[in-house]
Amino acid sequence: QVQLVESGGGLVQPGGSLRLSCAASGIIFRLYAMGWYRQAPGKQRELVAVITSGGTTNYADSVKGRFTISRDNAENTVYLQMNNLKPEDTAVYYCNANRARTSGYVNDYWGQGTQVTVSS
């Protein structure tokens, strides 16, 4: 059974920092691209950052220079370091694991989400 368990969310003041973690089980972690998405109230879920199985990273323009995604394949964990947080970063943050097979089949899994609230 695949599980993605996020942790590290909470309430933080503008300009503050948080580190999200996502622990994966039930998958061959090193073969998966791992991503962080977020969904604010009344808005669609959007990509925040992704790290491929090879370690290549990509970020939404809104978080470039402030957020850093990383992975520890030995611990089956992906992290999102969030610095200089802004009120508009408030959302539920979701972890995603994605693997596109050569057959065309895609394995795609989601965590349950963790709330990040940026407010003074």
Side-chain angles (χ1 to χ4, degrees):
Q1 181 180 359
V2 178
Q3 283 193 311
L4 301 177
V5 180
E6 300 105 332
S7 60
L11 173 64
V12 64
Q13 292 187 341
S17 297
L18 284 175
R19 188 194 196 201
L20 305 184
S21 300
C22 171
S25 60
I27 61 173
I28 305 174
F29 182 80
R30 61 181 173 81
L31 298 180
Y32 279 73
M34 300 299 298
W36 287 97
Y37 291 72
R38 68 186 180 188
Q39 188 167 18
K43 294 188 176 182
Q44 289 188 332
R45 190 174 296 189
E46 62 175 0
L47 174 68
V48 176
V50 63
I51 184 166
T52 68
S53 58
T56 301
T57 58
N58 194 27
Y59 298 90
D61 288 342
S62 59
V63 306
K64 282 181 181 176
R66 299 188 298 122
F67 290 11
T68 302
I69 189 170
S70 61
R71 64 190 297 159
D72 185 337
N73 288 344
E75 296 294 330
N76 289 356
T77 301
V78 62
Y79 303 97
L80 185 68
Q81 178 67 44
M82 305 186 294
N83 298 327
N84 190 21
L85 282 159
K86 305 176 180 181
E88 51 264 41
D89 295 318
T90 296
V92 178
Y93 283 70
Y94 296 91
C95 177
N96 173 262
N98 184 278
R99 179 186 178 192
R101 308 291 189 109
T102 54
S103 64
Y105 186 80
V106 177
N107 296 105
D108 192 69
Y109 305 105
W110 293 90
Q112 81 287 352
T114 185
Q115 177 70 46
V116 171
T117 302
V118 185
S119 175
S120 54

